[in-house]
Amino acid sequence: MTMASESDFAAWAAAVSQRTNRSLAGRRITGVRDPLFRLQAAQWGMVDDADPCGRADADAPLDPRRPVGRLFDSRHADGVEAMDAAQAHMPVTAALLDELTRETDLHGVRIAVCLILEPKTAVLLRLLKAAGAVVGVFCEPESTDQRVADQLRREGITVQADAGWTAEQAHQGALRLLDEIRPQIIIDDGASFARLAALERPELLDGLIGVSEETTSGVRAFQAMQDAGALTFPVIAVNDSILKTGFDNTHGTGETCVTTMQDILGAHAFEGARVAVIGYGPVGRGFALRVRALGARVAVCDTDPVAALQAVFDGFAATDIDEALADADIVVSATGVRHTIALEHLQRMRQGAALAVIGGIANEIALDDIPDFHSETGCRIRDLAVPDGPVIRLLAEGDGVNYTAGGGNPIEIMDLSFAVQVSAVTHLWRTRGTLRPGLHRLDADADRRIAAVALSVRGFSASHAVAENGYDWTMTRFAETERRSQTQEGQ
C-alpha cells in the first residue's frame, strides 16, 4: 500500500475507509511529514497526533506508513466478527444506554426497528435487547447484509429481512414484524415503517407510544403528516439533533460516499474532475469539502439562496443546475428529494459522466421516467442510455451509494447517531402518556451529554467555566462602567 511519504492521501483514505468502515474524521493520525498529506488529512477532519493538546486516545492513531492490508477488513468477516468489531468501536451508545437505563427501565418494551441492516445497526439491536427490550428489525432487501441478518436470528432477535426478497416479499415481511412485535416504539428510517402501520395496521396505533426518526426525508414526511392532521402519535426528530445532522450527515455520509465512489471509479477519480453537487445541506457540504481536498473542481447547485450563499462563502461556485450538469464529469444528488435529477437534467449531462445519489430516497433520480428501466440488486455501476440524451454511468442503481455499494456510514459516526436514538427511545418511554402527538426534538442537554462521553473516549474534553460569570441581564456595560468608577472613587 502507498505510504504517506508518496503523498497519496486519496488512495490511502479510500482503502482505510472501505476496508475498516471506520471514520477518518475525528481520528488521530501520526507519522506524517509530507505537508500535502497532512493538509488533506486535516481537511478531512483528522487530528495530528503531534498536537500537544489532549491526553492519549484509547484508540491507537492511524499511521499511513503501515500497510493497510494489516487492518481488519470488515467486508470479508463473518457476521459475528463484523458485529463484534463494530461493537468494540461504539462505546458512546453502550455507555449512554447503560446510564439512561438506570433512570428509565426498558424491560419488556416492544421496539420495532426499520433501519439499514448491517453491523452497526446490529450493535444497537444487541444493546437494546441486553437492556431488556423486546426487539425486532425489518429492512429492505437491497439494504440487508445477509450475514448480519442470519447472525441476529441466531442471537434471538426477530428479523424480517432477506437480501433475496422481492418487493412484495419485503412488504409482507414488514407487515409480519408489525404483527409479531406490535411495537410500542418504532425506530424508523424515512418514516416508512410508521406510515405503513398508519396505513395498513391502524389498529396498532392505539398501542404506539411514539417514533424515533433517523433521517431528513423521514422528518419531512412526518411534517407532511402533521400538516395534514394525520400525525396521531409523538415523533422524536433524531435527525434534528446536531449529534446526528452535524456528524452522521456531514462527516459520515460525506466521507463514505466519497470513498465508496473512489472504490468504484478509482482512487484518483476526483483529481481534476468537474463535480456538480446538487444540494448543499450537511451531506452535500461534507461531500464537497472532501472531494475538493482530493483535487476536484466543485460547483454547487441549491434552490435555497441561503444555502447557495453559504457554498460561495465556503469557496465553491454556486450556479444553476442546467449550467453545472452540462460541464460536470461527476454529478451527485444530495437532497433527499424525489426527482431532484429529472429526465430533462439527465438529457443535459455529458456523455460518459458519472451519476450517484448521496442523499438517499427512492427516485431521487427520475429513473422511473426511463422506459424499461429495471434495477439490478448489487449492481455498482452500469451504462445508462438516457432517452434523447447521452449514455451516462449510473452508480449503485441510483440508490444511496455508500450503503448499497459500500459499508455505509462509519462505525464511530453511527455510534453518535445511535446514542441519540437511545436518548429518544428512553425519552419516549419515560414521557409515555404525557407527550402530545406531533414532531418533537430532544433538548440541548441530551446532545451535550452524548458529546461529553464522545470527547472522553477520544482523549479530549470540553473546557470549563467559572461558577459566577456575571450572567445578570441588568448588568449592562454601562452599569459595569459605573460600578468600576464607584469602586475607584472609594479607594
Side-chain angles (χ1 to χ4, degrees):
M1 173 61 209
T2 305
M3 303 299 178
S5 61
E6 296 177 51
S7 196
D8 196 351
F9 176 80
W12 178 82
V16 172
S17 171
Q18 290 299 297
R19 184 180 183 89
T20 67
N21 195 220
R22 296 193 60 193
S23 178
L24 296 180
R27 294 284 301 280
R28 294 181 186 268
I29 191 169
T30 189
V32 179
R33 296 181 180 177
D34 185 280
L36 177 59
F37 195 108
R38 291 177 68 176
L39 175 62
Q40 290 174 304
Q43 289 172 327
W44 273 48
M46 302 193 74
V47 179
D48 194 329
D49 200 47
D51 191 325
C53 295
R55 62 182 184 275
D57 193 342
D59 202 3
L62 284 168
D63 187 342
R65 296 169 300 182
R66 296 175 183 168
V68 172
R70 294 181 184 175
L71 297 173
F72 175 76
D73 192 339
S74 61
R75 299 167 298 182
H76 302 302
D78 63 27
V80 173
E81 291 171 335
M83 290 160 58
D84 288 350
Q87 193 156 350
H89 300 294
M90 294 178 66
V92 180
T93 302
L96 185 72
L97 186 59
D98 182 61
E99 186 178 314
L100 291 173
T101 49
R102 292 187 204 131
E103 306 163 3
T104 306
D105 187 3
L106 294 181
H107 277 85
V109 182
R110 301 188 303 277
I111 303 174
V113 178
C114 177
L115 295 173
I116 295 167
L117 187 53
E118 40 84 26
K120 285 97 66 183
T121 306
V123 175
L124 174 64
L125 297 166
R126 277 177 163 181
L127 292 173
L128 289 171
K129 182 175 183 289
V134 177
V135 184
V137 61
F138 165 78
C139 185
E140 297 284 354
E142 63 273 12
S143 303
T144 295
D145 186 329
Q146 195 61 51
R147 60 188 175 156
V148 171
D150 294 341
Q151 178 59 30
L152 286 173
R153 288 191 185 96
R154 288 191 285 269
E155 295 184 11
I157 291 173
T158 301
V159 177
Q160 289 293 344
D162 193 300
W165 273 350
T166 64
E168 180 53 31
Q169 287 172 323
H171 183 187
Q172 293 305 312
L175 292 174
R176 279 196 302 274
L177 186 65
L178 284 171
D179 294 337
E180 289 176 39
I181 297 293
R182 301 183 68 82
Q184 295 168 296
I185 293 175
I186 292 173
I187 298 177
D188 216 345
D189 183 336
S192 56
F193 208 62
R195 285 186 289 172
L196 178 70
L199 293 169
E200 299 191 39
R201 291 293 189 269
E203 67 275 11
L204 296 180
L205 295 187
D206 287 342
L208 183 64
I209 289 165
V211 176
S212 177
E213 171 55 48
E214 176 83 358
T215 66
T216 304
S217 56
V219 172
R220 287 175 182 153
F222 282 125
Q223 183 64 59
M225 286 181 72
Q226 181 168 286
D227 294 343
L231 189 56
T232 60
F233 45 82
V235 176
I236 304 295
V238 163
N239 183 76
D240 291 356
S241 162
I242 189 60
L243 266 297
K244 164 60 169 69
T245 305
F247 294 83
D248 186 310
N249 296 19
T250 302
H251 296 293
T253 307
E255 180 177 297
T256 54
C257 283
V258 173
T259 60
T260 303
M261 291 178 69
Q262 288 177 282
D263 194 45
I264 298 170
L265 299 173
H268 298 281
F270 293 104
E271 188 174 332
R274 293 166 292 187
V275 178
V277 176
I278 317 302
Y280 201 66
V283 171
R285 184 171 188 265
F287 182 91
L289 290 170
R290 283 174 172 82
V291 296
R292 180 170 64 186
L294 300 182
R297 292 174 286 169
V298 180
V300 169
C301 309
D302 200 297
T303 57
D304 182 352
V306 175
L309 183 63
Q310 183 184 16
V312 170
F313 272 65
D314 282 342
F316 299 108
T319 187
D320 184 74
I321 187 170
D322 288 351
E323 182 179 341
L325 292 179
D327 293 330
D329 303 304
I330 299 171
V331 177
V332 297
S333 179
T335 65
V337 175
R338 182 178 181 274
H339 282 206
T340 292
I341 308 292
L343 181 58
E344 65 184 84
H345 298 133
L346 295 172
Q347 292 167 337
R348 288 178 178 273
M349 288 181 61
R350 296 178 64 247
Q351 182 78 11
L355 174 63
V357 168
I358 64 172
I361 64 164
N363 293 319
E364 194 161 326
I365 301 170
L367 298 172
D368 51 328
D369 282 347
I370 296 180
D372 302 321
F373 177 84
H374 298 288
S375 180
E376 299 175 13
T377 301
C379 182
R380 287 162 59 87
I381 187 168
R382 69 147 91 176
D383 287 340
L384 177 67
V386 178
D388 302 318
V391 175
I392 61 175
R393 294 181 294 165
L394 178 67
L395 275 59
E397 298 295 88
D399 207 343
V401 68
N402 64 330
Y403 58 82
T404 52
N409 282 359
I411 293 168
E412 290 87 351
I413 298 296
M414 294 310 298
D415 190 22
L416 299 178
S417 293
F418 287 157
V420 182
Q421 283 286 8
V422 300
S423 293
V425 166
T426 53
H427 179 71
L428 284 168
W429 189 242
R430 187 173 61 251
T431 60
R432 62 190 183 279
T434 63
L435 199 62
R436 60 177 174 77
L439 279 166
H440 301 266
R441 292 170 177 81
L442 294 171
D443 61 29
D445 284 343
D447 281 344
R448 294 191 191 102
R449 191 174 191 173
I450 297 166
V453 176
L455 281 168
S456 178
V457 301
R458 286 165 171 77
F460 299 105
S461 69
S463 187
H464 76 286
V466 294
E468 297 296 333
N469 278 353
Y471 290 118
D472 178 349
W473 73 269
T474 66
M475 189 57 66
T476 66
R477 67 177 64 185
F478 309 107
E480 189 81 10
T481 301
E482 183 178 347
R483 188 175 68 176
R484 281 200 303 269
S485 299
Q486 291 172 346
T487 300
Q488 290 169 356
E489 288 174 2
Q491 293 174 345

